[in-house]
């Protein structure tokens, strides 16, 4: 069978390109790895919770390190006053965080000298994300969030349903709840 010259060139060109791409990809040694998530944490006993435990230091840690998901063999101790959130709803939700500014004061005239609140942050959660053990929240530039009395949290559904939870004022509203045993704040969003 005799093929026209242009078909031979086309077949040769396509085969050459395919072999060249295969050679380049094999040199990159591409591999895919999957990290395991942290093991579930045992459920919280209500006797260990104290919503009004006193707090003493800054709103957000200045640690620039980001929180990491570690294999089940190692557990990282979260810093005191960390926020563990659990979305037990069937809604995709956004959690908004507004830290109270340390040192914010009113002048005698009632005019605020500086902003009462620091830089806000937010996180998005899928339905049922962190439902069993919760997830410790962190910010890219600040590290693990450490709550202080007066910090504000609010959650709202992102599906257009208009559903929301909060606002929660740390140490002033019943939620989030202080877990004295783990020295962390816990917020569980329920349907």
């Amino acid at each position: 069978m005799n093929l026209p010259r242009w078909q031979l060139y086309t077949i040769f060109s396509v085969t050459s390109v395919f072999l060249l791409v295969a050679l380049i990809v094999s040199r990159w040694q591409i591999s895919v790895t999957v990290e395991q998530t942290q093991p579930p944490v045992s459920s919280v006993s209500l006797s260990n919770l104290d919503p009004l435990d006193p707090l003493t230091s800054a709103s957000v840690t200045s640690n620039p390190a980001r929180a990491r998901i570690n294999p089940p063999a190692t557990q990282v101790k979260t810093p005191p006053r960390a926020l563990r959130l659990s979305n037990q709803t069937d809604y995709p939700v956004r959690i908004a965080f507004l830290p109270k500014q340390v040192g914010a004061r009113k002048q005698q005239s009632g005019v605020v000298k500086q902003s009462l609140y620091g830089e806000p942050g937010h996180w998005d959660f899928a339905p049922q994300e962190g439902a069993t053990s919760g997830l410790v929240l962190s910010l890219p530039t600040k590290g693990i969030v450490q709550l202080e009395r007066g910090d504000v949290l609010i959650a709202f559904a992102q599906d257009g349903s208009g559903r929301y939870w909060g606002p929660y004022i740390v140490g002033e509203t019943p939620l989030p709840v202080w877990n004295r045993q783990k020295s962390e704040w816990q917020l569980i969003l329920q349907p």
Side-chain angles (χ1 to χ4, degrees), residues 84-137:
R84 183 176 299 273
L85 189 121
S86 178
N87 181 15
Q88 296 182 353
T89 73
D90 292 327
Y91 299 98
V93 296
R94 173 165 285 180
I95 312 302
F97 167 63
L98 189 58
K100 188 170 183 178
Q101 186 77 14
V102 176
R105 296 182 212 120
K106 286 188 178 181
Q107 293 179 343
Q108 286 182 351
S109 65
V111 178
V112 176
K113 190 173 186 178
Q114 65 185 38
S115 173
L116 291 176
Y117 293 97
E119 186 177 338
H122 71 275
W123 303 267
D124 293 331
F125 278 73
Q128 297 293 319
E129 185 173 7
T132 56
S133 61
L135 299 171
V136 175
L137 301 184

Side-chain angles (χ1 to χ4, degrees), residues 14-87:
V14 169
T15 305
S16 298
V17 168
F18 177 74
L19 291 174
L20 183 62
V21 168
L23 180 64
I24 291 171
V25 169
S26 69
R27 293 286 183 200
W28 284 343
Q29 298 177 356
I30 297 174
S31 65
V32 177
T33 58
V34 178
E35 287 188 33
Q36 296 178 349
T37 59
Q38 292 179 336
V41 177
S42 62
S43 61
V44 176
S45 167
L46 292 178
S47 63
N48 295 328
L49 302 178
D50 181 4
L52 300 176
D53 199 21
L55 302 172
T56 57
S57 58
S59 292
V60 179
T61 179
S62 61
N63 181 0
R66 296 177 188 230
R68 295 180 180 92
I69 297 175
N70 296 303
T74 59
Q75 282 223 328
V76 173
K77 183 169 173 42
T78 56
R81 300 178 326 279
L83 173 60
R84 183 176 299 273
L85 189 121
S86 178
N87 181 15

Side-chain angles (χ1 to χ4, degrees), residues 166-180:
Y168 304 113
I169 302 173
V170 177
E172 297 177 23
T173 57
L175 292 174
V177 177
W178 176 252
N179 181 329
R180 185 176 301 180

